[in-house]
Amino acid sequence: MELLDGKVLSETIKAELAAEVDKIKQAGGKIPHLAAVLVGEDPASQVYVKSKIRSCEQIGFKSTLVQRPAETTEAELLEIVQQLNDDPDVDGFIVQLPLPKHINEEKVTLAIDYRKDVDGFHPVNFGRMAQGMPAFLPATPFGIMEMLRRYNIETSGKHCVVLGRSNIVGTPMSLLLSRKGYPGDCTVTLTHSRTKDLPAEVRRADIVVAAIGIPQFVKADWVKDGAVVIDVGINRIPDATRKSGSRLVGDVDFDGVAPKCSHITPVPGGVGLMTVTALLMNTLKACRKEIYS
Ligand code: GUN
């Protein structure tokens, strides 16, 4: 069993991005600038956004954090989005989800200029991705594709089972893996809460992508020997042996599943770090106008 190490890989890619920033500086070009909008006090969102900002600093990108209280109105948030759309120095920005209940996430996503949508959540980017056109790919699926590529995981003709049909992970992941080319050319099964006999579906998989948000859900006897397992889950569970009283686990029962796999991502230290790295890669693409002129 080989670990798909998101920590090592994300550091490698970040070093490459930092070298690109140096080249841009030497040539007197524009430094990539990512902005992040965080509304409310969701603790997980705060951790994720801080990690995005810290990663920008680490590689020499410019970053801006726009932080607002949970009482922020939808109109106020739409105004912030408009300002970021109009700011020529901001190459790309994200609005961290989930938003407080009184704000319509769909409306906010639609308000983001798709040319600055480095999260790849806007329907223009999603539609272009689905048709195989150049687009900002959603960060988590993009990070996973990059991980498969850099670890030379064979995908052509493989059967991939995706657990979870969310707009930001499961659905785009299923589209990307079924696309022509590498990584891709998989036969994909997209499973969800209404799937009959989920363990039987997962047993057929050469590649499993677990993105359902249920701690340690995928069990050892569901996984075929030699499978590649990508665990997207980040769940906090109680653990009395830890000083904090809790620890992070994925959607896969790692200790049971890992010995059966050819490759598996750990949690933490797997997909999560690749998500942040993919966002940085998208920001560089935005700055270079690689997708939209
Ligand atoms: N919430 C969970 N994942 C993400 C992400 O990739 N981007 C944003 N904006 N919000 C999220």
Side-chain angles (χ1 to χ4, degrees):
M1 183 275 294
E2 188 185 356
L3 271 189
L4 297 171
D5 190 330
K7 195 163 187 270
V8 168
L9 192 48
S10 63
E11 288 306 321
T12 303
I13 297 173
K14 282 198 274 189
E16 293 168 7
L17 292 169
E20 289 302 315
V21 173
D22 282 343
K23 277 195 224 160
I24 293 171
K25 275 188 185 155
Q26 277 164 22
K30 185 188 178 301
I31 303 298
H33 182 182
L34 173 73
V37 183
L38 176 59
V39 182
E41 282 83 38
D42 180 68
S45 290
Q46 288 187 348
V47 171
Y48 298 149
V49 170
K50 278 186 190 136
S51 151
K52 291 169 186 177
I53 297 290
R54 205 176 329 110
S55 297
C56 281
E57 286 163 5
Q58 199 188 342
I59 63 170
F61 281 13
K62 199 169 159 187
S63 63
T64 301
L65 173 60
V66 182
Q67 206 162 359
R68 292 289 183 274
E71 304 74 48
T72 303
T73 65
E74 186 178 279
E76 284 166 336
L77 179 55
L78 290 171
E79 178 59 32
I80 293 168
V81 167
Q82 198 52 50
Q83 279 169 12
L84 293 169
N85 283 343
D86 293 340
D87 185 339
D89 196 64
V90 171
D91 297 297
F93 67 98
I94 65 152
V95 177
Q96 187 67 26
L97 305 179
L99 290 168
K101 293 273 176 288
H102 64 276
I103 300 179
N104 183 335
E105 286 184 357
E106 215 171 275
K107 211 163 160 181
V108 173
T109 301
L110 281 168
I112 296 172
D113 183 338
Y114 63 85
R115 292 165 298 187
K116 294 192 176 189
D117 169 38
V118 284
D119 253 336
F121 290 174
H122 193 285
V124 168
N125 282 310
F126 200 95
R128 290 176 62 104
M129 172 197 68
Q131 296 198 6
M133 294 163 70
F136 289 118
L137 303 182
T140 300
F142 184 22
I144 293 170
M145 295 295 273
E146 200 57 25
M147 194 173 223
L148 294 172
R149 185 198 317 279
R150 295 203 182 217
Y151 272 94
N152 292 311
I153 303 290
E154 226 181 285
T155 58
S156 179
K158 300 291 180 189
H159 190 157
C160 175
V161 174
V162 178
L163 293 89
R165 55 181 158 187
S166 74
N167 284 340
I168 65 175
V169 185
T171 299
M173 204 62 236
S174 69
L175 289 166
L176 289 171
L177 285 168
S178 59
R179 255 175 25 172
K180 229 186 230 310
Y182 181 77
D185 288 326
C186 289
T187 303
V188 178
T189 302
L190 179 57
T191 67
H192 45 74
S193 54
R194 300 295 172 96
T195 297
K196 291 199 174 106
D197 203 351
L198 185 60
E201 295 294 344
V202 177
R203 271 182 213 115
R204 296 166 55 213
D206 303 307
I207 302 172
V208 180
V209 179
I212 30 166
I214 306 175
Q216 300 165 314
F217 184 68
V218 176
K219 306 296 182 204
D221 66 339
W222 301 15
V223 175
K224 184 158 89 176
D225 277 329
V228 174
V229 174
I230 308 292
D231 190 351
V232 183
I234 302 179
N235 311 289
R236 193 164 282 285
I237 61 164
D239 182 346
T241 69
R242 301 286 176 101
K243 219 167 32 186
S244 64
S246 69
R247 72 186 161 107
L248 291 179
V249 296
D251 290 351
V252 174
D253 176 17
F254 185 89
D255 292 343
V257 169
K260 300 187 74 178
C261 299
S262 72
H263 298 82
I264 185 168
T265 61
V267 178
V271 172
L273 296 169
M274 292 305 294
T275 297
V276 178
T277 307
L279 179 68
L280 302 172
M281 292 193 284
N282 274 343
T283 304
L284 181 64
K285 281 178 199 268
C287 179
R288 289 191 165 147
K289 307 212 180 302
E290 278 181 27
I291 293 166
Y292 303 106
S293 55

